[in-house]
Every structure is written in structure tokens, then in C-alpha cells.
Amino acid sequence: MRVLVFALLAAISFGSVAVAQTPVERGRYLVESIVGCGNCHTPQGPSGPLTNRALSGGPPIEEPGAFIAMPSNITPDPETGIGKWTDAQIKTAIREGRRPDGTIIGPPMPFEQYRMMADADLDAIVAYLRTVPAISNKAAKSTYNVPLPPAYGPPITQAIAAPPRSDNVAYGAYLAGPLGHCIECHTPMDQATHRFKYDTLLGAGGFPFHGPWGISVSRNITSHPDDGLGKWSDAEIERAIRTGTGKDGRKLMPPMAYGYYAKINAEDMSALIAYLRTIPAKKTQ
């Protein structure tokens, strides 16, 4: 009996070690899936992302009349990337939108969401970025025709933890907000204030994205039965997120990071969909 118990304990211990992630492994999972950093920061070719130049600076992102943003090089290259930045400086850039020289990083980086990223996940992302190949590529300077704020909020000094994974909906909200910023892209903006209408139209879609594909408009991801996802099955929602295929079988347009979202693990996908089911129904404006 003792031998059997010992064998079971050994098996359990081995299983725990087998599924445990190091910070670098966790960071790689986040960067290459739900956070999808490469969707903006990796150069694009005719056939898609140039994986041999991953994270070395992406193509222009334009909001007509407001800005032309040039995604930066976030590889460890010391001259054109973040190789000389400290871990603390990288974290401040990601979560507070401030470079080491004190200048403010402009949109479309979703700082309003990233400010709530858990410390452990932020640490993991930085740990992973330290390991990617350093690529020399000096990104052009972004142009902003709208004033940037002096800060996106006060300095973050308190500890931030992710919701427990046992709370499927709360963890799904964390995936859709601080990590994946789904709710930012899928919420309309007040053009007068340049603020997202989270209080009144969370997830109602209607935000236009300009790119080489033309103009795509974010769809409604609320539980509305006609405008939103109310009549979609879980499998249809998952297929749309992973492959960019709509309920009717039509291909959905960029800039959704389908190639990255295909790597979201099953547990996280379940939590994400569980949260989307809870977003109050809103009609697309």
C-alpha cells in the first residue's frame, strides 16, 4: 500500500512539474497568443508576418486625421530596440506608456487596459522579450495630430494580481481586457473626447480600422441576439477568434490577430467565451 501511495504521489508531483511554466515560457505564451504583440510590432510581407524579423517594428498604423503610429522595435537590440532598457523601464513603457527618457508613447498601445496587467504576467513578458533575437531596425517616428496626455494615470505602485483561474468569468474578463484588450477594439470611441464608451457601449463594436485591407469595422461582441454574439454557439465564437471565420463562413478582416489567437489554450478560450457571454446586450450604433 505504501508503495502504491508513493507511486501516486510521485505521479502527481511529476504531472505538476510537467505542466508548470517558467516565466519565459509564460511570457512566450502571452506574447505569441492572447497579447499578440507581434500583430503590431512585427514587419509584414505579402504573405503575412516576417517571422525572421519578429518584433523588430511593424508597419504604420493610421487613424486618419489623428495619427500615423510606427510600431517600435521591441527586440533586445541595444541601439534600435530595448536592449539598453532596464526591466523596470520596459514595464513602465508597457503599463504606463512612458519611455526611459520620460516621453509619452501614443496610441494605439492600449495603456488603459495594460495598466491592469498582473505583475506576474508583466514580469513574464519582459523575461521573454529578453530572449528573442536582437534585430537592428530603427523604426520611423510616429506622427500625432492630437495632443498626447501628460500621463495615462498616476504611477502604478500597488501590487496587481490576476483573478483566480477558478473564476472562469473573472479570468475571461482579464483576458479580454488587460491582456488581449478585446474590449478596447470592440468598443466605440467618443470622437470629441477620444475616450472609449466603456460605460455605455462596452463591446458594441463600430470602431473603424484603416489598413492595407481598406477599412474594417470591429463587430459587436455583446450578447445582443441580432447585432452581437447572442445567437452564436461557443464553437462559432471560438472559430471566429482562432481562424477569422464568421458564423456564416465568411472570412473576417484584419487587424484581428487570428494567427496569434489560434495559439490560445483551451482553458483560456473557455474563460474568454464565458466572459463574452456576460457582456450586456447593446445594439451597434
Side-chain angles (χ1 to χ4, degrees):
M1 178 62 73
R2 288 183 179 178
V3 173
L4 178 58
V5 170
F6 178 80
L8 288 172
L9 290 173
I12 292 170
S13 298
F14 177 79
S16 299
V17 172
V19 299
Q21 285 184 310
T22 66
V24 170
E25 289 169 339
R26 172 67 175 170
R28 178 172 185 167
Y29 168 71
L30 293 172
V31 168
E32 296 185 356
S33 65
I34 184 66
V35 183
C37 304
N39 197 46
C40 290
H41 290 274
T42 292
Q44 298 285 320
S47 301
L50 302 179
T51 55
N52 64 325
R53 297 184 62 78
L55 304 178
S56 65
I61 301 174
E62 182 176 3
E63 179 65 30
F67 61 79
I68 299 177
M70 307 300 296
S72 59
N73 183 338
I74 57 172
T75 75
D77 183 72
E79 302 304 327
T80 65
I82 58 173
K84 292 181 179 178
W85 296 22
T86 67
D87 287 2
Q89 288 170 337
I90 297 173
K91 293 174 192 178
T92 298
I94 294 172
R95 203 152 63 174
E96 300 183 35
R98 188 178 297 279
R99 301 182 183 89
D101 63 5
T103 57
I104 294 295
I105 302 170
M109 274 284 281
F111 299 114
E112 196 166 359
Q113 300 303 320
Y114 285 170
R115 285 181 64 83
M116 298 177 285
M117 187 182 291
D119 296 344
D121 285 338
L122 185 61
D123 290 345
I125 287 173
V126 173
Y128 172 63
L129 290 178
R130 294 294 194 196
T131 71
V132 303
I135 298 171
S136 178
N137 179 44
K138 185 173 178 59
K141 189 176 179 61
S142 300
T143 302
Y144 292 95
N145 300 319
V146 294
L148 298 180
Y152 292 99
I156 297 170
T157 57
Q158 77 281 12
I160 300 178
R165 288 179 175 272
S166 56
D167 189 333
N168 216 32
V169 171
Y171 195 77
Y174 175 67
L175 293 167
L179 291 185
H181 54 275
C182 315
I183 60 171
E184 180 165 303
C185 291
H186 289 271
T187 297
M189 177 184 284
D190 185 321
Q191 294 304 315
T193 63
H194 295 283
R195 301 287 296 178
F196 290 96
K197 300 179 180 180
Y198 294 127
D199 293 338
T200 56
L201 291 171
L202 177 70
F207 192 89
F209 292 88
H210 300 257
W213 57 82
I215 301 175
S216 58
V217 179
S218 64
R219 71 157 294 118
N220 188 319
I221 58 171
T222 75
S223 53
H224 194 281
D226 299 315
D227 289 9
L229 304 176
K231 293 180 180 178
W232 291 45
S233 68
D234 287 1
E236 288 168 339
I237 296 173
E238 180 171 354
R239 183 180 69 165
I241 294 171
R242 291 193 188 280
T243 72
T245 305
K247 180 179 174 66
D248 59 4
R250 288 187 297 179
K251 294 300 291 182
L252 304 176
M253 296 176 68
M256 273 279 284
Y258 308 113
Y260 296 89
Y261 299 158
K263 300 175 184 178
I264 296 174
N265 66 40
E267 183 182 21
D268 284 355
M269 182 62 71
S270 173
L272 182 58
I273 293 172
Y275 166 68
L276 294 177
R277 295 292 192 199
T278 71
I279 300 178
K282 299 287 184 180
K283 286 188 65 67
T284 303
Q285 302 297 298

